[in-house]
Each structure stands twice: as structure tokens, then as C-alpha cells.
Amino acid sequence: QVQLVESGGGLVQAGDSLRLSCAGSGRAFSTYSAGWFRQPPGKEREFAAAISWSGGRTYYADSVKGRFTISRDNAKNTVYLQMNSLKPEDTAVYHCAADRWDRVVAGTGDYWGQGTQVTVSS
């Protein structure tokens, strides 16, 4: 069983940066791939970024590539999402997920956090 808790969201202006954190409980967390998804207001949840259990493999949605960086510290059981050059269209609730790589990327992973709100004003 893995529990995930996100933090780090907030209200920022366009062009600013934020770093989200996803703290995972349980020894198994460091053996799972993890990812970040976001759900803009009134829209479907969408994939943002994923990272393998070792951190050696990452994958990004085109909409965030070059601006967002996913990383992890398995000693701290934490996955991060560094978000730079934020745009108003990045406004969303950001959720982290954990499971096997293919399930994380597909958005069908077993473990999800409650989410953290990111609001970017123009």
C-alpha cells in the first residue's frame, strides 16, 4: 500500500516558477515509477510527466516539455515537479501517481494523491 501527499501549489504570476513535491509512504514507493497529472478547471485530467523508479527514465507531455522537470529522491521517498516559465494555461489541480511505468503513463495507476492547486495569473 502506498499513500501519496502533494504539496507546493499556490498562486503565482505568469513567468514564475514553482516546485511541487509528492511524498510517498511505504518502502515500496521507491520501487514504483511515478508521475504528475493535472486537471484544469472544467477539463479532463491530463498527463504531464513521468519518472522511472530509478530516475533514469523520464517522459513529458509536449505542453510542458522544456519548462517542467520531474525528479525524485528515493532516500526521502519524494518526487518533485519543477515548473518554470509558468503560463495561465498551466492552472490546474496537480496530482501525483505511482505504479508500474506503463500504468503511470496511461493514467491507470493504482496510487494517487489528493492534489495541490496551482493557479497562474496573467
Side-chain angles (χ1 to χ4, degrees):
Q1 187 75 12
V2 173
Q3 292 184 329
L4 306 174
V5 179
E6 302 95 336
S7 62
L11 172 62
V12 297
Q13 293 186 333
D16 285 351
S17 298
L18 271 179
R19 189 177 79 157
L20 305 183
S21 298
C22 172
S25 65
R27 293 180 179 179
F29 179 69
S30 64
T31 69
Y32 284 115
S33 294
W36 288 94
F37 288 75
R38 62 187 187 179
Q39 186 164 18
K43 296 185 179 181
E44 298 287 319
R45 185 177 66 196
E46 61 186 33
F47 169 79
I51 189 165
S52 61
W53 71 270
S54 67
R57 183 181 183 185
T58 58
Y59 178 61
Y60 296 93
D62 287 343
S63 57
V64 307
K65 197 175 297 181
R67 299 187 299 122
F68 291 10
T69 302
I70 190 171
S71 62
R72 69 189 300 161
D73 184 341
N74 284 340
K76 296 182 178 179
N77 268 7
T78 301
V79 174
Y80 304 99
L81 186 67
Q82 177 66 43
M83 306 186 295
N84 298 330
S85 302
L86 283 162
K87 305 175 182 179
E89 52 262 44
D90 294 317
T91 294
V93 177
Y94 284 71
H95 298 267
C96 67
D99 207 319
R100 275 191 348 237
W101 174 265
D102 58 332
R103 298 189 69 181
V104 167
V105 172
T108 58
D110 277 346
Y111 306 110
W112 291 85
Q114 291 299 308
T116 186
Q117 176 71 47
V118 172
T119 302
V120 184
S121 63
S122 57

